[in-house]
């Protein structure tokens, strides 16, 4: 993104004999759970021109990857359509037809970004809970500062197993992980974690009464 906002923008401005910012506003970046949300995000992107009223159908917008993805196969094309199409079918013909239907079914639907969590995550509670976000990580340098959530340790660094009662209580009380998130991470029933937390709270209440 730095190269796009820098080198490319400078070359374009020089060629077009213009000055100032080429792209309006700051770009956005997200951490996405691939299996559940990636295709929904891809559909959202190619339908942006339709939502903006620039066209009635995504194929009418020339500055989009839709034309490349929904068109005939071209091994020399710089757009990597295989990443998307292999999720729709074994052959290019089948995949393209299913891709077209999938995109058109999204017209008029609510934005997938309505499900955004912590300003940066698109995924299940378990997905969000299991991802430790280190704001000093080089991988996050492309994510705008205002989008970055407060650092929160992943469950893997807090809880060893279902017998680690101290870790479970710490994750629940100190780091605001839900009982469901903890149970899903440990692959145990919700009631198992619930009993541990309730016993801790009851013991704490009894200790308080004695004092």
């Amino acid at each position: 993104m730095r190269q796009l906002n820098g080198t490319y923008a400078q070359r374009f401005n020089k060629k077009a004999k213009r000055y100032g910012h080429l792209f309006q506003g700051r770009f956005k970046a997200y951490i996405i759970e691939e299996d559940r949300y990636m295709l929904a995000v891809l559909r959202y992107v190619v339908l942006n021109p339709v939502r903006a009223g620039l066209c009635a159908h995504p194929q009418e917008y020339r500055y989009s990857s839709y034309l490349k993805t929904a068109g005939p196969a071209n091994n020399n094309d710089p757009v990597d359509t295989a990443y998307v199409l292999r999720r729709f079918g074994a052959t290019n013909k089948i995949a393209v037809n299913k891709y077209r239907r999938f995109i058109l079914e999204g017209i008029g639907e609510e934005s997938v970004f309505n499900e955004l969590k912590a300003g940066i995550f698109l995924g299940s509670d378990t997905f969000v809970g299991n991802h430790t976000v280190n704001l000093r990580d080089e991988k996050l340098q492309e994510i705008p500062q205002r989008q970055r959530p407060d650092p929160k340790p992943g469950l893997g660094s807090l809880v060893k197993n279902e017998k680690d009662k101290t870790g479970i209580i710490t994750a629940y009380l100190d780091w605001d992980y839900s009982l469901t998130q903890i149970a899903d991470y440990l692959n145990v029933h919700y009631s198992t974690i619930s009993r541990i937390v309730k016993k801790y709270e009851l013991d704490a209440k009894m200790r308080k009464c004695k004092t």
Side-chain angles (χ1 to χ4, degrees):
M1 289 306 299
R2 292 193 188 96
Q3 186 175 9
L4 184 62
N5 281 326
T7 305
Y8 175 79
Q10 292 171 9
R11 289 181 179 177
F12 184 91
N13 284 348
K14 183 177 181 180
K15 183 177 181 179
K17 296 181 180 180
R18 64 183 300 279
Y19 300 91
H21 293 289
L22 178 59
F23 300 101
Q24 181 181 9
R26 190 80 163 89
F27 72 90
K28 295 181 180 180
Y30 303 98
I31 299 175
I32 301 171
E33 185 174 11
E34 184 169 5
D35 292 342
R36 294 186 58 183
Y37 289 90
M38 182 61 75
L39 290 180
V41 172
L42 291 173
R43 178 164 64 184
Y44 174 87
V45 171
V46 298
L47 287 179
N48 264 334
V50 177
R51 277 189 296 273
L54 300 176
C55 58
H57 192 287
Q59 71 179 14
E60 298 172 3
Y61 191 70
R62 59 181 296 192
Y63 305 106
S64 170
S65 61
Y66 178 85
L67 292 176
K68 302 293 184 181
T69 309
N74 184 354
N75 294 331
N76 296 321
D77 201 304
V79 178
D80 183 12
T81 60
Y83 174 82
V84 176
L85 292 179
R86 66 171 173 257
R87 287 161 171 74
F88 289 93
T91 67
N92 187 75
K93 183 177 180 179
I94 293 175
V96 166
N97 287 334
K98 288 185 176 180
Y99 169 78
R100 289 173 178 170
R101 288 199 299 270
F102 174 75
I103 296 299
L104 296 182
E105 287 170 357
I107 295 179
E109 287 191 355
E110 292 187 5
S111 170
V112 64
F113 289 101
N114 289 340
E115 301 181 42
L116 196 65
K117 298 172 182 176
I120 193 174
F121 293 105
L122 267 178
S124 64
D125 289 341
T126 301
F127 173 81
V128 175
N130 289 345
H131 281 70
T132 301
V133 179
N134 184 349
L135 300 185
R136 295 185 296 274
D137 193 327
E138 292 182 359
K139 295 180 180 179
L140 291 181
Q141 293 307 305
E142 291 289 353
I143 297 178
Q145 183 69 38
R146 58 187 170 81
Q147 277 188 259
R148 301 180 191 179
D150 294 331
K152 181 177 181 178
L155 282 170
S157 64
L158 296 173
V159 186
K160 297 177 182 178
N161 50 53
E162 66 272 17
K163 296 181 180 180
D164 183 10
K165 297 181 180 180
T166 300
I168 291 172
I169 297 303
T170 299
Y172 178 72
L173 294 180
D174 295 345
W175 292 103
D176 201 30
Y177 280 103
S178 69
L179 299 179
T180 301
Q181 285 178 306
I182 300 171
D184 287 347
Y185 172 74
L186 295 174
N187 196 27
V188 298
H189 196 273
Y190 168 91
S191 61
T192 301
I193 305 302
S194 179
R195 283 195 296 269
I196 293 174
V197 172
K198 286 182 178 179
K199 186 177 186 306
Y200 172 85
E201 292 176 337
L202 180 60
D203 290 345
K205 186 176 181 180
M206 294 295 292
R207 288 193 297 270
K208 186 176 181 180
C209 290
K210 290 180 180 180
T211 57

